[in-house]
């Protein structure tokens, strides 16, 4: 390639690069910078606040902050339950679809993708109202079967959010797993059938190992989203603030530190910490799930 | 982001053309009972998917008494028009304003973002220049950055230059979308051959002319997918508008609905009926777009897995 063309090619990417610096690198740098400082009230607080270098003090505080670390643990524990359940259902549905003719499969795929078309905030609003003992049909339905459930009770709020996330996510994950399944060479099934393998055996020994990559991918995406969960608990908090505290998830804590406590330095520190935790968690998940693939 | 080579390859292959299999010999070999079992499973799953939407539709046709007293899964009286009228007149029609804002941010932001992403993706896919790999690594690496890490400092930077609480605070971040760049690069690789560019150059076309009159035209499908996904993302955004928009005249639909749903605890005003009708309306543009652009977004969703 001629030299001048190379630079013309680079020129196509320049507007994006400038924007990337302004909207990504600069904010991250600013957050890291802020995390190393703290606000110091001078005198009796009348002289205004001055910034003072704090080194890693904010980080020390963050790592021993039981509310923050508690919220990280809470979300991670929840992820360990919700994500496998959601992915298992998605996998099962993808396998069911894969066994149908493509015309019928296409119709079901659209139906199952309907929740994915619904904005997250709206999905949360709908389910909160379904759960509501006043307007929702789920409470009378429970009574019909002898359950006296209160979805806004502390023990039920995570299952309630989990169901909402599962409902919202299975269609999307199913499509990804399904398209991976479409890549399995069909001759393999015929060969297995000739050898007398049952459909269940084919699914277990051929299809599932084949879509492992897609499962790892969807799992990783779900972990990234889960650690940053905010919308759903924020909307639940609108209805039941006594159950969903403002320290319920890491991002809720960060938001509160910044906008209610006005402590930007600490909020920045916690954001950097969350980014690091996210990086480590995704790396570990990837290492753990892909070690046997090759 | 770390990916398995396999998944990367699969997705790339399906990016250009949707894979469609006409005859599936294995399904014919299946027993009738087995088929019925499959169908029952899928019907149950579809019911789970659809019943909340059904409930929302039914609920928006009810008045307050109906909402609180009748069976949630069936109609009782037809008050949809009254609800809509209330929705559009409440607080001087602020809901319409929010709708217009959502369209403005999602429409304009995604249009600009898509154009920028196509140029960048094309530059990355079809030219060799120093630093290219670094730019691409930055694009992919940024998928892992938590939203709070970007949004809070962005809020502070925007407030320094007086952009907080203006439409710009929503529009500018939409222009730079690494995931769109990633998609645009993949699509360019699948649709724009080197030979074509060489031929155009030999004919004496300038690089800008090649981009605007050849590349963009050939990238209609890819561009539509990038636009659609960016539009959906902005329409669904919540944390960014919550952070950078204060006055309610600039809010998005999501922010408005969130605020209304909290009114009851805050000030005892029960807006459930309005919230539900508004929620239903805010799905409509999504549904229309997704159905109209079905053939584009399916490949987009699959590619979305790489995000």
């Amino acid at each position: 390639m001629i030299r001048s063309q190379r630079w013309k090619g680079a020129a196509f990417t320049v507007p994006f690069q400038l924007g990337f610096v302004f909207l990504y690198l600069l904010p991250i740098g600013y957050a890291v910078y802020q995390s190393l400082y703290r606000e110091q009230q001078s005198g009796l607080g009348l002289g205004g606040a001055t910034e003072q270098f704090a080194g890693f003090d904010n980080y020390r505080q963050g790592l021993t902050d039981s509310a923050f670390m508690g919220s990280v643990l809470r979300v991670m524990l929840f992820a360990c339950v919700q994500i496998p359940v959601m992915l298992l259902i998605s996998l099962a549905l993808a396998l069911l679809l894969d066994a149908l003719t493509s015309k019928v499969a296409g119709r079901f795929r659209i139906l199952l993708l309907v929740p994915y078309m619904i904005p997250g905030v709206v999905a949360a609003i709908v389910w909160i109202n379904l759960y509501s003992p006043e307007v929702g049909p789920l409470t009378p339905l429970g009574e019909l079967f002898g359950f006296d459930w209160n979805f806004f009770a502390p023990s039920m709020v995570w299952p309630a959010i989990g169901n909402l996330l599962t409902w919202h996510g299975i269609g999307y994950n199913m499509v990804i797993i399904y398209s991976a399944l479409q890549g399995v060479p069909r001759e393999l099934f015929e060969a297995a059938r000739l050898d007398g393998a049952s459909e269940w055996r084919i699914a277990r020994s051929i299809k599932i190992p084949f879509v492992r990559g897609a499962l790892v991918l969807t799992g990783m995406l779900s972990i990234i989203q889960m650690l940053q969960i905010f919308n759903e608990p924020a909307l639940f908090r609108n209805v039941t603030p006594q159950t969903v505290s403002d320290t319920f998830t890491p991002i809720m804590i960060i938001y509160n530190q910044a906008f209610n406590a006005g402590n930007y330095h600490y909020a920045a520190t916690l954001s950097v910490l969350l980014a690091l935790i996210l990086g480590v968690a995704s790396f570990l998940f990837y290492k753990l799930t892909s070690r046997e693939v090759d | 982001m770390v990916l398995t080579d396999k998944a990367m390859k699969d997705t790339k292959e399906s990016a250009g053309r949707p894979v469609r299999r006409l005859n599936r010999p294995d399904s014919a070999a299946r027993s009738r009972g087995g088929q019925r079992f499959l169908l029952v499973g899928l019907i149950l799953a579809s019911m789970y998917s659809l019943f909340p939407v059904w409930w929302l539709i039914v609920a928006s046709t009810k008045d307050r008494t109906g909402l609180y007293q009748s069976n949630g899964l069936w109609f009782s009286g037809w008050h949809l028009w009254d609800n809509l009228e209330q929705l559009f007149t409440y607080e001087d029609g602020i809901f319409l304003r929010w709708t217009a804002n959502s369209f403005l941010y999602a429409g304009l932001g995604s249009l600009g973002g898509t154009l920028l992403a196509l140029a960048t993706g094309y530059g990355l896919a079809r030219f060799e220049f120093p630093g290219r790999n670094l730019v691409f690594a930055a694009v992919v690496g940024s998928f892992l950055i938590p939203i709070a890490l970007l949004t809070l400092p962005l809020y502070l930077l925007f407030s320094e230059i007086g952009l907080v609480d203006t439409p710009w605070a929503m529009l500018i971040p939409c222009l730079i979308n690494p995931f769109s760049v990633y998609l645009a690069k993949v699509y360019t690789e699948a649709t724009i051959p080197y030979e074509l560019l060489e031929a155009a150059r030999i004919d004496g076309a300038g690089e800008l002319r090649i981009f605007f009159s050849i590349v963009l035209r050939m990238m209609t499908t890819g561009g539509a997918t990038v636009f659609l996904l960016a539009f959906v993302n902005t329409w669904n955004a919540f944390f960014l508008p919550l952070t950078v928009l204060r006055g309610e005249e600039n809010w998005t639909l999501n922010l408005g609905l969130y605020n209304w749903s909290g009114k009851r605890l805050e000030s005892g005003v029960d807006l459930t009926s309005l919230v539900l009708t508004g929620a239903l309306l805010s799905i409509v543009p999504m549904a229309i777009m997704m159905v109209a652009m079905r053939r584009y977004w399916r490949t987009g969703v699959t590619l979305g897995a790489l995000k």
Side-chain angles (χ1 to χ4, degrees):
Chain A
M1 195 165 281
I2 313 159
R3 262 198 109 71
S4 69
Q5 266 169 31
R6 294 174 29 173
W7 292 114
K8 280 171 187 158
F12 279 110
T13 69
V14 165
F16 175 80
Q17 287 191 49
L18 290 177
F20 190 81
V21 168
F22 180 66
L23 291 165
Y24 280 80
L25 299 186
L26 198 64
I28 293 173
Y30 194 44
V32 172
Y33 164 80
Q34 281 218 315
S35 72
L36 299 174
Y37 283 78
R38 72 170 148 230
E39 215 146 85
Q40 199 73 29
Q41 297 290 333
S42 58
L44 295 164
L46 297 170
T50 52
E51 293 206 331
Q52 202 179 59
F53 187 70
F56 288 104
D57 280 1
N58 289 331
Y59 286 94
R60 214 165 291 140
Q61 190 190 341
L63 285 169
T64 52
D65 182 335
S66 59
F68 181 70
M69 292 319 273
S71 75
V72 171
L73 270 181
R74 180 181 300 133
V75 169
M76 278 186 167
L77 260 175
F78 176 62
C80 289
V81 180
Q82 192 265 336
I83 294 174
V85 168
M86 178 177 69
L87 291 186
L88 267 178
I89 299 176
S90 308
L91 173 67
L93 291 174
L95 286 170
L96 290 183
L97 278 189
D98 189 61
L100 290 172
T101 56
S102 55
K103 200 173 159 196
V104 183
R107 286 200 191 122
F108 276 112
R109 197 174 41 200
I110 288 295
L111 291 182
L112 292 171
L113 268 168
V114 165
Y116 175 66
M117 297 180 196
I118 292 170
V121 167
V122 172
I125 286 175
V126 173
W127 274 99
I128 285 171
N129 281 287
L130 287 170
Y131 292 142
S132 146
E134 288 154 332
V135 297
L138 293 180
T139 308
L141 197 74
E143 279 163 9
L144 207 64
F145 291 98
F147 294 115
D148 184 21
W149 49 30
N150 170 11
F151 294 97
F152 301 137
S155 61
M156 278 299 275
V157 78
W158 270 128
I161 293 177
N163 171 58
L164 156 60
L165 293 175
T166 306
W167 175 78
H168 207 206
I170 44 178
Y172 174 80
N173 291 303
M174 175 209 68
V175 165
I176 290 159
I177 300 167
Y178 177 71
S179 37
L181 268 180
Q182 299 281 296
V184 189
R186 299 283 134 176
E187 302 83 61
L188 279 180
F189 306 150
E190 288 307 315
R193 261 182 221 119
L194 285 177
D195 288 345
S198 66
E199 293 302 319
W200 166 239
R201 182 70 211 263
I202 292 175
R204 214 186 39 175
S205 309
I206 304 176
K207 293 184 178 177
I208 295 178
F210 202 89
V211 297
R212 208 189 150 118
L215 283 172
V216 170
L217 216 59
T218 48
M220 187 119 94
L221 289 171
S222 311
I223 289 177
I224 294 173
Q225 278 169 9
M226 186 68 79
L227 275 170
Q228 304 187 60
I229 187 171
F230 178 79
N231 305 4
E232 292 80 5
L235 276 143
F236 270 77
R237 192 171 151 68
N238 261 348
V239 188
T240 166
Q242 59 278 21
T243 310
V244 181
S245 65
D246 54 7
T247 58
F248 203 61
T249 77
I251 300 238
M252 286 173 93
I253 294 182
I254 293 170
Y255 184 84
N256 272 310
Q257 281 295 333
F259 292 103
N260 295 334
N263 195 350
Y264 291 111
H265 296 277
Y266 193 47
T269 311
L270 295 183
S271 326
V272 177
L273 273 179
L274 184 64
L276 294 173
I277 294 170
L278 201 67
V280 171
S282 336
F283 178 76
L284 283 181
F285 176 77
Y286 183 74
K287 278 282 156 206
L288 278 174
T289 49
S290 59
R291 86 205 126 139
E292 304 153 53
V293 166
D294 307 298
Chain B
M1 173 158 189
V2 259
L3 293 166
T4 54
D5 292 343
K6 181 87 203 59
M8 191 79 134
K9 206 173 121 260
D10 287 350
T11 326
K12 264 190 192 162
E13 274 168 6
S14 57
R17 64 215 136 72
V19 184
R20 194 159 287 179
R21 216 177 292 267
L22 289 175
N23 281 316
R24 303 279 293 280
D26 57 309
S27 57
R30 198 170 272 287
S31 71
R32 284 221 152 190
Q35 283 283 6
R36 203 162 294 157
F37 172 76
L38 297 179
L39 284 176
V40 170
L42 283 167
I43 288 169
L44 285 177
S46 307
M47 280 165 67
Y48 173 56
S49 284
L50 295 179
F51 102 87
V53 184
W54 170 251
W55 178 84
L56 180 63
I57 295 171
V58 169
S60 355
T61 66
K62 291 178 178 172
D63 61 359
R64 264 184 68 90
T65 9
L67 190 62
Y68 282 91
Q69 277 159 20
S70 68
N71 177 352
L73 295 175
W74 200 249
F75 297 95
S76 112
W78 185 263
H79 302 277
L80 179 61
W81 310 128
D82 303 337
N83 288 341
L84 287 174
E85 199 191 319
Q86 261 190 48
L87 180 68
F88 288 132
T89 51
Y90 188 75
E91 286 181 357
D92 302 325
I94 191 84
F95 186 83
L96 268 178
R97 180 75 199 250
W98 295 337
T99 312
N101 288 341
S102 275
F103 271 111
L104 175 78
Y105 304 149
L108 227 68
S110 313
L111 203 65
T114 303
L115 202 65
L116 257 174
L118 289 176
T120 314
Y122 169 63
L124 287 175
R126 286 297 171 253
F127 293 90
E128 302 249 356
F129 54 88
R132 181 177 80 146
N133 292 337
L134 190 72
V135 175
F136 188 60
V139 165
V140 177
S142 60
F143 298 165
L144 264 178
I145 300 167
I147 181 165
L149 184 56
L150 291 175
T151 311
L152 290 180
L154 205 57
Y155 165 80
L156 294 177
L157 289 172
F158 278 172
S159 57
E160 294 272 326
I161 47 180
L163 288 182
V164 162
D165 221 7
T166 68
W168 296 110
M170 271 301 287
L171 282 169
I172 293 173
C174 292
L175 294 179
I176 302 301
N177 186 340
F179 182 61
S180 298
V181 171
Y182 175 81
L183 277 182
K185 178 176 179 276
V186 174
Y187 281 120
T188 308
E189 280 162 357
T191 46
I192 313 286
Y194 280 109
E195 296 78 17
L196 183 85
L197 302 174
E198 283 311 312
R201 276 177 201 132
I202 289 165
D203 286 348
E207 294 298 327
L208 270 181
R209 172 126 185 255
I210 294 177
F211 176 70
F212 281 106
S213 56
I214 302 177
V215 176
L216 277 191
R217 217 164 280 179
M218 289 179 72
M219 291 282 284
T220 338
T221 309
T225 313
V226 173
F227 175 81
L228 175 78
L229 291 178
F231 188 96
V232 171
N233 255 339
T234 313
W235 190 271
N236 291 349
F238 181 62
F239 195 72
L240 179 69
L242 179 71
T243 308
V244 297
L245 302 174
R246 296 269 158 250
E248 59 178 21
E249 74 280 358
N250 285 324
W251 283 357
T252 61
L253 277 177
N254 276 341
L255 212 47
L257 290 174
Y258 167 72
N259 187 268
W260 277 359
S261 86
K263 277 260 167 82
R264 193 169 166 194
L265 277 170
E266 206 180 276
S267 50
V269 189
D270 179 14
L271 298 175
T272 310
S273 208
L274 288 190
V275 169
L276 292 176
T277 313
L280 181 66
L281 281 194
S282 86
I283 299 176
V284 173
M286 287 297 93
I288 292 175
M289 276 197 89
M290 296 251 185
V291 171
M293 300 178 76
R294 210 162 61 191
R295 73 194 173 99
Y296 301 124
W297 75 278
R298 221 189 310 124
T299 52
V301 167
T302 333
L303 275 168
L306 298 178
K307 191 172 158 185

